[in-house]
């Protein structure tokens, strides 16, 4: 998006400024009665719940946020690829492994596209996946706990942008290379990019029962920039479509050199055939280091496993595996309508939008209607696969979602608007400004077989004059539109946390009933848990001290500890004995070179603390837990090395 | 976390009157039934005849001869789930539990374990306890069967 932003800011200044001016006017024209009716539509009375959960990517925050629709209220920021000190994520000993990669501990990423798991092409509310763009990864968030439970790294790729779009039953989520690289990595001149750098289209399998992700196979493809993806559905189930740009295979000054060709490609991948080729032994084992990190909700701890090879298919050895659909011009989003027939290419530098037909694609394949072949991949002729063209709908089309009523909605970055058009007739029905510079847009279920086409959310890059200014850095924003009528109607405008690229939403009823309230103490298998106060204790082996500590409103046990010496490494293992909803306890230790712990009821978390100097140091509970929360504190005494102070600990009467 | 709720609870400790008025207000919006606030409950209780069974899922407990096996099961549960805050024979975070079966009805005891949030807001005896001890009665998410076992342990303890 950043490079696109620059291109567009460069080439489209006049259009953009004009659009801003217009937007201002139309906004001020809004009558007070239409304001009142918009307010009523988004008003969720105190104590009542929203109709939809919306999950918005955090962009360069690396996280995922949870909002309610239509209220626009923020409920939760789920840490995914970045450390989050508020929750201890990536700081406590249990979650640090979640951020391990083959490059070591990577405490940040750039998260772009949330994608809900699907059953029969419809979001099922079990999981939400999101990609890490920078150090290629896919994360799985469990929607019973709203916690990141798995992260898998994608080897032999870079810039994991066209990810993690799902197939109809979440058989796979995918990852495509945006920044092609030498595969496998080697020392070579950047100037030899063309023909030598490669992309990879990776299919990550998702276990039907427990959601466990594995790299099933990769397909080695020409070194274009694979930008976005969407799975076929219904009749096109079994195919995955990836958009690409930079078919020029340029490697420098890309904003000019990667925009030379009239048409780039949408790659249509027959993944069911890929499965067959793998079964037939057509895959090659290729070196590729990656990590797979998983959280276990019995031990309350994540573990990392390292892998060193992947199974790769070469298109020139696998006829029928991939076809290229020519698409003008540097297509960004590739979006498949709910019937699975129309494949929309959002050619971001094109003045028209091309829509391909799945049926025509199959016919062209059958007739071998090929323009040429690139590295064993047939390029179908543009005219033979074209279903229709939406003519001059706006400037800079990026993404399209669907309402399930036969209409498509496309975001236009340069002209800063949402345009509604009709599938089949390709006529523009309605347009409405966004404030400003819309990137993705989202309709609940809008990339699935069954959209809940009541609302549309635009996810905007620039907010300028929209909110009270906060210095040089301003919030990104989301705007909520009512799309239930013929004309789109702006209802609400709210700032977002981080840069929301894509978002997804789902009816609350599909998620809410499954929400976990506590972890059962009986099921706590953490090796350092103390599941009752009887088990609270301190053990010392050499200079390693393990404190098995419990917390309950409102005391720790033990809360006084002596016998620790300078140079000791102290592990505070805190088990929260509460078994009631909304009763986490925090734990903060003076001078700790890490964050606090935040321990959910029934769980155990660990802080590592080094005793660096002589003294008596306090610890306390950080999350207001009861009327006696301020009393929830304790001390640890640190004596000189070799001191004769015995190891002792107590709460209440000295033991 | 529901900070405002917790803050309310904190305020309740320090400023009982403030708590009462705030609580009355929130009850009105939640259930729109006037007179459910603790003040009227206390009044009602003063006027009330008969034993207080508390508020919650338990309306009647049939007590038979002491079931020793059940009491043993209850003792183990008590030691695991309750001793962070309760001792049998001394005040700890919460009150000493010796003679609790003489002070309270079996139904009240079980409702206090199973439904402490509502009990400490609405039941006059439970409200008096939280006013004295300030610490909340934690809901340990026990089942009715487990709670019945703990009651049997209390009966056995009080018989000895």
């Amino acid at each position: 998006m950043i490079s696109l932003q620059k291109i567009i800011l460069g080439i489209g200044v006049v259009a953009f400024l004009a659009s801003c001016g217009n937007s201002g006017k139309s906004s001020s024209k809004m009558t007070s009665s239409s304001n009142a009716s918009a307010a009523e539509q988004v008003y969720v009375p105190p104590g009542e719940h929203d109709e939809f959960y919306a999950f918005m990517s955090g962009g360069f925050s690396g996280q995922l946020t949870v909002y309610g629709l239509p209220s626009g209220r923020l409920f939760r920021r789920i840490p995914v690829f970045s450390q989050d000190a508020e929750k201890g994520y990536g700081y406590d000993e249990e979650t640090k492994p979640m951020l391990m990669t083959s490059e070591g501990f990577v405490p940040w990423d750039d998260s772009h596209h949330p994608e809900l798991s699907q059953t029969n092409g419809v979001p099922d509310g079990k999981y939400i996946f999101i990609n890490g763009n920078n150090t290629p990864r896919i994360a799985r968030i469990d929607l019973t706990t709203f916690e990141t439970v798995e992260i898998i790294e994608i080897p032999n790729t870079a810039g994991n942008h066209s990810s993690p779009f799902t197939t109809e039953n979440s058989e796979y989520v995918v990852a495509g290379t945006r920044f092609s690289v030498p595969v496998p990595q080697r020392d070579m001149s950047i100037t030899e990019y063309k023909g030598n750098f490669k992309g990879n289209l990776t299919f990550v399998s998702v276990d039907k029962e427990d959601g466990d992700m594995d790299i099933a196979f990769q397909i080695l493809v020409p070194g274009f920039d694979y930008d976005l993806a969407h799975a076929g559905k219904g009749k096109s189930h079994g195919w995955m479509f990836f958009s690409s740009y930079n078919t020029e295979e340029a490697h420098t000054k890309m904003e000019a050199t990667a925009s030379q060709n009239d048409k780039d490609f949408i790659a249509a991948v027959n993944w069911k055939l890929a499965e067959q080729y793998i079964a037939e032994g057509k895959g090659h084992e290729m070196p590729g280091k990656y990590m797979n990190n998983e959280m276990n909700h019995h031990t309350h701890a994540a573990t990392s496993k390292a892998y060193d090879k992947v199974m790769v298919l070469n298109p020139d050895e696998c006829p029928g595996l991939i076809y290229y659909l020519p698409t003008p011009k540097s297509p960004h989003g590739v979006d498949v309508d709910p019937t699975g027939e129309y494949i929309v290419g959002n050619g971001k530098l094109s003045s028209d939008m091309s829509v391909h037909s799945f049926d025509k694609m199959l016919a062209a394949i059958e007739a071998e209607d090929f323009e040429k072949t690139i590295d064993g991949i047939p390029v179908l002729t543009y005219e033979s696969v074209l279903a229709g063209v939406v003519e001059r709908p706006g400037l800079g089309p990026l993404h399209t979602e669907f309402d399930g009523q036969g209409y498509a909605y496309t975001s236009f970055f340069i002209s800063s608007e949402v345009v509604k058009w009709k599938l089949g007739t390709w006529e523009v029905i309605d347009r409405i400004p966004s404030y400003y510079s819309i990137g993705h847009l989202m309709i609940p279920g809008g990339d699935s077989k069954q959209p809940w086409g009541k609302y549309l959310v635009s996810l905007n890059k620039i907010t300028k004059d929209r909110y009270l200014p906060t210095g040089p850095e301003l919030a990104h924003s989301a705007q909520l539109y009512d799309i239930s009528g013929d004309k789109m109607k702006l209802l609400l405008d709210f700032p977002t946390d981080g840069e929301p690229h894509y978002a997804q939403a789902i009816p609350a009823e599909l998620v809410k009933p499954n929400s976990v309230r506590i972890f059962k103490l009986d099921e706590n298998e953490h090796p350092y848990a103390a599941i009752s106060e009887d088990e609270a204790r301190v053990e010392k082996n050499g200079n390693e001290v393990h404190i098995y500590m419990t917390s309950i409103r409102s005391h720790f046990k033990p809360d006084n500890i002596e016998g620790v010496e300078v140079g000791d490494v102290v592990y505070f293992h805190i088990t929260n004995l509460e078994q009631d909803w909304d009763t986490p306890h925090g734990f903060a230790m003076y001078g700790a070179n890490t964050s606090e712990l935040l321990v959910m009821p029934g769980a155990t978390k660990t802080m590592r603390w080094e005793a660096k100097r002589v003294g008596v140091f306090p610890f306390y509970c950080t999350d207001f837990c009861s009327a006696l929360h301020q009393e929830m504190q304790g001390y640890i005494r640190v004596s000189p090395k070799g001191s004769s102070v015995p190891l002792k600990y107590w709460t209440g009467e000295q033991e | 976390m529901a900070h405002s709720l917790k803050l309310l609870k904190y305020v309740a400790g320090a400023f009982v009157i403030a708590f009462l008025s705030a609580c009355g207000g929130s009850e009105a919006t939640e259930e729109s039934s006037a007179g459910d606030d603790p003040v009227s409950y206390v009044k009602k209780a003063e006027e009330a005849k008969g034993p207080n069974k508390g508020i919650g899922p338990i309306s009647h407990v049939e007590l038979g001869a002491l079931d020793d096996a059940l009491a043993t099961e209850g003792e183990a549960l008590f030691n695991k789930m309750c001793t962070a805050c309760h001792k049998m024979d001394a005040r700890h975070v919460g009150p000493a539990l010796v003679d609790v079966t003489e002070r309270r009805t079996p139904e009240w005891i079980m409702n206090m374990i199973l439904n402490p949030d509502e009990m400490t807001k609405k039941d006059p005896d439970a409200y008096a306890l939280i006013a004295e001890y300030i610490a909340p009665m934690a809901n340990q998410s026990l089942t009715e069967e487990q709670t019945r076992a703990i009651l049997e342990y209390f009966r056995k303890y009080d018989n000895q």
Side-chain angles (χ1 to χ4, degrees):
Chain A
M1 263 327 302
I2 296 301
S3 62
L4 175 64
Q5 209 162 308
K6 282 180 188 157
I7 295 173
I8 281 157
L9 286 176
I11 64 172
V13 171
V14 176
F16 176 71
L17 291 178
S19 137
C20 285
N22 291 341
S23 326
K25 268 183 221 156
S26 58
S27 153
S28 62
K29 271 184 199 161
M30 224 181 188
T31 63
S32 59
S33 72
S34 79
N35 275 340
S37 118
E40 264 177 36
Q41 280 182 268
V42 301
Y43 182 67
V44 178
E48 289 187 18
H49 290 175
D50 279 282
E51 188 180 351
F52 293 95
Y53 282 101
F55 300 91
M56 301 199 188
S57 70
F60 47 83
S61 84
Q63 317 295 48
L64 179 71
T65 47
V66 186
Y67 289 79
L69 296 180
S71 73
R73 295 181 294 186
L74 172 64
F75 301 139
R76 184 169 171 78
R77 185 183 208 228
I78 302 173
V80 183
F81 295 113
S82 299
Q83 286 175 302
D84 182 346
E86 182 202 49
K87 299 176 177 64
Y89 180 85
Y91 291 96
D92 61 51
E93 297 303 305
E94 286 75 12
T95 53
K96 277 181 188 171
M98 291 303 287
L99 302 179
M100 284 305 294
T101 74
S102 62
E103 305 286 340
F105 184 74
V106 179
W108 169 87
D109 215 300
D110 181 16
S111 60
H112 280 235
H113 311 121
E115 177 86 343
L116 289 155
S117 58
Q118 294 185 2
T119 301
N120 297 323
V122 181
D124 57 20
K126 282 165 78 174
Y127 310 112
I128 190 158
F129 303 91
I130 191 166
N131 62 320
N133 188 62
N134 183 55
T135 304
R137 288 175 276 181
I138 293 176
R140 178 169 58 92
I141 291 104
D142 186 329
L143 292 183
T144 64
T145 58
F146 286 65
E147 287 180 339
T148 305
V149 291
E150 186 176 6
I151 293 180
I152 192 164
E153 188 183 359
I154 315 294
N156 296 335
T157 183
N160 179 33
H161 195 268
S162 46
S163 180
F165 302 94
T166 181
T167 56
E168 209 171 85
N169 296 294
S170 291
E171 294 93 343
Y172 299 100
V173 289
V174 299
T177 302
R178 177 163 153 222
F179 309 133
S180 286
V181 286
V183 178
Q185 277 290 4
R186 60 190 181 277
D187 177 31
M188 63 176 284
S189 173
I190 301 165
T191 60
E192 292 164 27
Y193 180 119
K194 194 164 186 162
N196 291 311
F197 283 30
K198 292 289 179 191
N200 247 320
L201 307 179
T202 305
F203 284 71
V204 175
S205 61
V206 180
D207 187 271
K208 216 174 171 50
E209 298 306 314
D210 62 13
D212 183 40
M213 297 189 288
D214 283 305
I215 294 183
F217 56 88
Q218 296 189 306
I219 304 172
L220 204 58
V221 285
F224 310 153
D225 289 30
Y226 296 85
D227 207 6
L228 281 150
H230 263 111
K233 45 180 80 93
K235 63 164 102 169
S236 52
H237 177 58
W239 292 79
M240 179 65 75
F241 302 94
F242 294 86
S243 61
S244 72
Y245 63 102
N246 191 28
T247 52
E248 298 83 355
E249 298 183 70
H251 55 83
T252 185
K253 211 181 177 201
M254 306 255 303
E255 61 180 345
T257 55
S259 310
Q260 300 299 306
N261 292 346
D262 281 344
K263 295 189 181 68
D264 297 278
F265 301 123
I266 288 170
V269 177
N270 186 340
W271 58 259
K272 287 203 170 163
L273 187 58
E275 287 177 336
Q276 200 179 311
Y277 281 130
I278 290 288
E280 287 168 8
K282 288 270 175 69
H284 300 274
E285 228 173 57
M286 185 182 267
K289 287 189 174 168
Y290 65 99
M291 298 285 252
N292 187 358
N293 314 318
E294 273 190 81
M295 172 58 71
N296 177 319
H297 271 140
H298 293 294
T299 62
H300 298 283
T303 47
S304 296
K305 274 191 201 156
Y307 297 85
D308 58 9
K309 52 181 179 283
V310 280
M311 193 60 80
V312 175
L313 292 171
N314 289 316
D316 55 1
E317 298 167 357
C318 301
L321 183 59
I322 306 185
Y323 299 92
Y324 280 142
L325 316 181
T327 307
K329 198 178 156 158
S330 299
H332 190 55
V334 51
D335 301 295
V336 182
D337 87 304
T339 68
E341 164 63 6
Y342 296 122
I343 303 140
V344 180
N346 303 262
K348 69 185 180 226
L349 306 178
S350 167
S351 51
D352 299 329
M353 285 177 68
S354 299
V355 182
H356 302 300
S357 154
F358 179 71
D359 288 344
K360 285 189 168 184
M361 182 191 93
L362 291 185
I365 291 168
E366 183 71 28
E368 299 193 2
D369 201 351
F370 305 150
E371 198 176 279
K372 59 181 172 180
T373 296
I374 302 173
D375 294 356
I377 302 171
V379 179
L380 301 169
T381 59
Y382 173 70
E383 292 74 17
S384 69
V385 294
L386 191 68
V389 171
V390 187
E391 285 175 3
R392 303 199 172 274
L395 296 178
L398 292 185
H399 302 278
T400 299
E401 295 249 308
F402 307 92
D403 65 2
Q405 308 294 319
Y407 296 99
Y409 300 74
T410 301
S411 59
F412 289 84
F413 179 85
I414 301 173
S415 51
S416 192
E417 62 187 333
V418 177
V419 173
K420 176 181 179 180
W421 51 276
K422 194 166 169 50
L423 289 159
T425 69
W426 323 118
E427 62 189 313
V428 171
I429 304 293
D430 189 24
R431 59 179 66 240
I432 193 165
S434 65
Y435 310 99
Y436 306 103
S437 304
I438 179 175
H440 280 266
L441 44 61
M442 175 272 280
I443 292 170
D447 73 342
S448 77
K449 269 164 93 170
Q450 190 197 86
W452 292 275
K454 182 174 180 183
Y455 299 114
L456 181 148
V457 176
S458 77
L459 300 145
N460 309 318
K461 306 299 182 189
I462 292 170
T463 52
K464 283 194 196 173
D465 52 3
R466 297 297 290 180
Y467 307 117
L468 290 175
T470 54
E473 193 190 2
L474 303 173
H476 291 72
S477 81
Q479 279 172 300
L480 182 75
Y481 300 88
D482 176 357
I483 57 165
S484 61
D486 290 341
K487 301 286 283 180
M488 293 180 278
K489 182 178 156 196
L490 176 61
L491 299 178
L492 184 68
D493 177 334
F494 56 98
T496 56
D497 184 75
E499 179 183 1
H501 288 264
Y502 189 37
Q504 290 221 317
I506 185 169
E509 290 313 316
L510 294 179
V511 174
K512 191 165 95 172
N514 309 323
S515 210
V516 165
R517 299 185 170 201
I518 60 166
F519 298 109
K520 288 186 180 156
L521 272 174
D522 281 346
E523 295 171 4
N524 184 326
E525 293 167 12
H526 193 293
Y528 293 98
I531 62 163
S532 74
E533 288 204 344
D534 283 350
E535 296 179 10
R537 64 194 185 277
V538 180
E539 291 175 357
K540 185 167 179 176
N541 304 304
N543 75 334
E544 200 174 290
V545 180
H546 290 275
I547 302 174
Y548 298 68
M549 189 182 284
T550 62
S551 64
I552 194 164
R553 286 165 288 176
S554 282
H555 60 276
F556 295 107
K557 187 174 183 181
D559 65 5
N560 285 191
I561 299 143
E562 298 194 346
V564 171
E565 298 175 10
V566 171
D568 285 352
V569 176
V570 179
Y571 292 89
F572 292 94
H573 308 284
I574 316 296
T575 301
N576 181 348
L577 296 182
E578 306 280 358
Q579 290 289 273
D580 196 6
W581 199 17
D582 201 7
T583 57
H585 287 287
F587 177 83
M589 178 65 218
Y590 176 96
N593 297 112
T594 185
S595 79
E596 66 151 354
L597 301 175
L598 188 63
V599 194
M600 295 305 122
T604 304
K605 293 280 183 201
T606 302
M607 178 191 287
R608 183 182 183 278
W609 182 75
E610 290 176 34
K612 291 178 185 157
R613 62 186 170 108
V614 166
V616 179
F617 303 101
F619 52 83
Y620 72 102
C621 173
T622 50
D623 190 341
F624 204 106
C625 59
S626 80
L628 296 165
H629 164 76
Q630 291 298 82
E631 285 73 13
M632 194 161 174
Q633 62 188 62
Y635 289 102
I636 185 165
R637 172 182 172 186
V638 179
S639 304
K641 189 146 191 73
S643 145
S644 58
V645 175
L647 187 69
K648 281 193 302 184
Y649 51 90
W650 62 88
T651 293
E653 309 105 79
Q654 208 159 312
E655 286 158 23
Chain B
M1 293 220 46
H3 288 276
S4 58
L5 239 180
K6 280 169 194 160
L7 189 62
L8 267 186
K9 285 180 190 165
Y10 182 76
V11 169
F15 312 103
V16 174
I17 293 166
F19 173 71
L20 291 180
S21 53
C23 192
S26 74
E27 290 309 322
T29 48
E30 262 175 35
E31 296 173 9
S32 66
S33 62
D36 275 8
D37 61 286
V39 174
S40 42
Y41 263 102
V42 171
K43 279 184 190 156
K44 273 188 216 162
E46 282 165 357
E47 293 157 9
K49 303 261 187 283
N52 180 5
K53 293 188 172 188
I55 302 160
I58 307 299
S59 54
H60 180 69
V61 180
E62 197 67 55
L63 293 179
L66 192 75
D67 180 338
D68 220 44
L70 190 63
T72 305
E73 190 187 313
E75 183 175 7
L77 275 165
F78 178 82
N79 286 336
K80 188 170 144 200
M81 304 303 287
C82 312
T83 49
C85 297
H86 289 284
K87 293 177 190 292
M88 291 307 293
D89 51 5
R91 177 178 174 142
H92 191 33
V93 177
L97 290 171
V98 63
D99 293 339
V100 68
T101 56
E102 286 161 30
R103 294 196 300 277
R104 313 285 180 206
T105 63
E107 294 83 3
W108 191 98
I109 292 170
M110 287 182 68
N111 283 327
M112 186 64 167
I113 297 171
L114 290 166
N115 188 33
D117 278 355
E118 195 181 6
M119 283 286 284
T120 51
K121 275 183 199 150
K122 294 184 179 171
D123 179 86
D125 294 328
Y127 182 79
L129 284 172
I130 199 170
E132 181 184 350
Y133 286 85
I134 305 302
M137 170 73 183
N139 185 341
Q140 290 293 77
S141 296
L142 296 170
T143 63
E144 287 185 17
E145 290 70 29
Q146 290 173 317
T147 307
R148 181 64 187 84
I150 290 171
L151 172 66
E152 203 65 4
Y153 167 57
F154 292 163
R155 288 179 75 205
K156 184 180 174 187
Y157 194 92
D158 290 345
N159 273 352
Q160 284 166 354

